[in-house]
Amino acid sequence: MEFVPFEAAELELFTSLSSESRHFRRHDVIRQQGDDVREVYFLSEGWVGSCVDFATGSRQMVKVHLPGDMLGTPSVVLDSAAETLIALTPITIHVIPASAYSRLFMSAPRVAAAMFLTAQKERVLLMDRLTSVARTTAMQRLAAFLLHVYDRLKTVENLDEPMFELPLSQEELADVLGITPVHANRTFAQLDNTGLVDRRGRWITLLNVSGLRSLGAVPDRRFECTADWHAPALWQGEDRPT
Amino acid sequence: MEFVPFEAAELELFTSLSSESRHFRRHDVIRQQGDDVREVYFLSEGWVGSCVDFATGSRQMVKVHLPGDMLGTPSVVLDSAAETLIALTPITIHVIPASAYSRLFMSAPRVAAAMFLTAQKERVLLMDRLTSVARTTAMQRLAAFLLHVYDRLKTVENLDEPMFELPLSQEELADVLGITPVHANRTFAQLDNTGLVDRRGRWITLLNVSGLRSLGAVPDRRFECTADWHAPALWQGEDRPT
DNA sequence: CGGAAATTTGAAATCGCTCAATGATAGTGG
DNA sequence: CCACTATCATTGAGCGATTTCAAATTTCCG
């Protein structure tokens, strides 16, 4: 788990809390906005999108989840789910009863601290994405998004080169970027023409990573808590989870 | 504190953690994006804006803070601050060393749980704001923002009528809405003309709250953890902070 | 191979931006 | 108390990015 030093124990921990695992096909809805909140999910395989639907009928994909992510956690402060969870690829999730998730705060303070820090990290990412959508052009947002996916993929699998398969349709991509599908198409073609990226079907190659970074203009965030200030408080304690 | 039942103890708790309090005038910078993260803040008086600056020179106000809010908490996962904190009015803050804040996770699990839930709530608010900015017109965003401020003010002071003073300049308002100052002006004039709101200098009256809600189109979120599932886990425990 | 879904392209309309100027307001020092 | 100045609010005109509507083409999957 990020931020707290007990790496591989996490999957084991979450699967031990999990009552069952479920599989979904691409485009399946895992949970609908407005549904009762009784559980959260641990994504073990595949990509999932979190979408917010507005009364006007428009939809925004506020987060693209990769394996290792918890799904649906923002909704634990609500009675009815804030977001719709949609499978972007075939996926496997582990279902965690909200009550079990909640109990971690009393039984495993260091796990709780890690979950808190992860929530703060998500806030920073959302702040950056809000700024990106509010203040940059479609092409800049696309560059920023591709880089974000690339950076995240590097942490979940071994990427030698900046090349990966992006399983989103252009409509889903448009939902992420906050533009229309038609414009997503034109924008991707335009970015392609700059020579910064190469598209071969769903396979994306980032030909000029630093060029893309300066285009995207997102501040580069180093999410490490090497900071001495909170490490000592968290590293000590006898409640090491099994 | 929200979500966990020990109301007024919170100010006492945070001021006990606080090493000092500071005052700022309107427009003062409390902390700059990129500064070292050594402390978080408790806002006891006035309004503060959290802004993200992009490399292109553009700025987005990602959050408007009211009294009772913690400031700067997203940055605890970073070495250098994610956001610039700006006083929107004369303010008073209590400075809390990040180490003291962090220690709460070991010493006061229920406070930790409350902080976690607050962070999740902020995620939901950011998700809604991202959707608002990405998918609605300037006038809809303005309606949504005014309602959000109104809803929050109701919880920190006694508002009999939907009328309040909005201390933001139009430039700051534009920073919030993700538009230019010029367009903020035109948009506010336009909203004024609909009869949904009334402007008298900085004083805003919401003449038709439900009309504004349907214009803004934001899902209405009920942030209460009446849910039986996590209450039991949190209410019990012997670590009641003094 | 056939049909549905996804991608691509075109043309016109709209929203918000930019540049530029004018008016109003508030704080300051004489 | 008033003149002075800086900041803030307002308005106009033209431009640009993105949307909308509509159709053509390609890809995917059974």
Side-chain angles (χ1 to χ4, degrees), chain A residues 23-54:
Chain A
H23 301 272
F24 292 89
R25 288 166 310 177
R26 184 167 146 81
H27 298 306
D28 280 355
V29 171
I30 301 160
R31 188 190 63 184
Q32 191 82 35
Q33 178 172 336
D35 285 358
D36 275 5
V37 178
R38 286 193 240 273
E39 39 196 38
V40 296
Y41 311 95
F42 178 79
L43 178 61
S44 65
E45 252 175 84
W47 295 35
V48 167
S50 292
C51 303
V52 171
D53 294 309
F54 262 34

Side-chain angles (χ1 to χ4, degrees), chain A residues 93-171:
Chain A
I93 61 175
H94 296 274
V95 181
I96 300 173
S99 53
Y101 181 63
S102 168
R103 265 193 296 276
L104 289 175
F105 277 87
M106 300 321 270
S107 63
R110 292 205 331 302
V111 178
M115 296 193 307
F116 172 74
L117 295 175
T118 299
Q120 299 296 7
K121 175 178 172 176
E122 291 301 326
R123 279 179 74 183
V124 173
L125 293 175
L126 274 169
M127 285 159 50
D128 286 347
R129 241 151 80 49
L130 175 58
T131 309
S132 181
V133 167
R135 299 293 174 182
T136 73
T137 64
M139 202 165 79
Q140 292 178 288
R141 292 179 220 175
L142 176 55
F145 174 67
L146 293 176
L147 284 166
H148 176 69
V149 168
Y150 169 53
D151 289 336
R152 289 220 53 204
L153 279 175
K154 280 192 292 191
T155 71
V156 303
E157 56 187 74
N158 272 12
L159 281 187
D160 299 332
E161 302 163 79
M163 170 168 56
F164 53 89
E165 188 181 0
L166 188 74
L168 307 199
S169 69
Q170 291 192 358
E171 185 170 356

Side-chain angles (χ1 to χ4, degrees), chain B residues 8-59:
Chain B
E10 99 178 286
L11 196 151
E12 200 183 332
L13 171 67
F14 285 129
T15 52
S16 78
L17 295 177
S18 170
S19 54
E20 58 171 318
S21 69
R22 293 181 197 152
H23 301 271
F24 292 90
R25 289 167 308 178
R26 184 166 146 82
H27 297 307
D28 280 354
V29 172
I30 300 160
R31 188 189 64 183
Q32 190 82 35
Q33 178 173 337
D35 284 358
D36 275 4
V37 178
R38 285 193 241 272
E39 39 196 39
V40 296
Y41 311 96
F42 178 78
L43 178 61
S44 65
E45 253 176 84
W47 296 34
V48 168
S50 292
C51 303
V52 171
D53 294 309
F54 262 35
T56 50
S58 55
R59 143 170 307 193

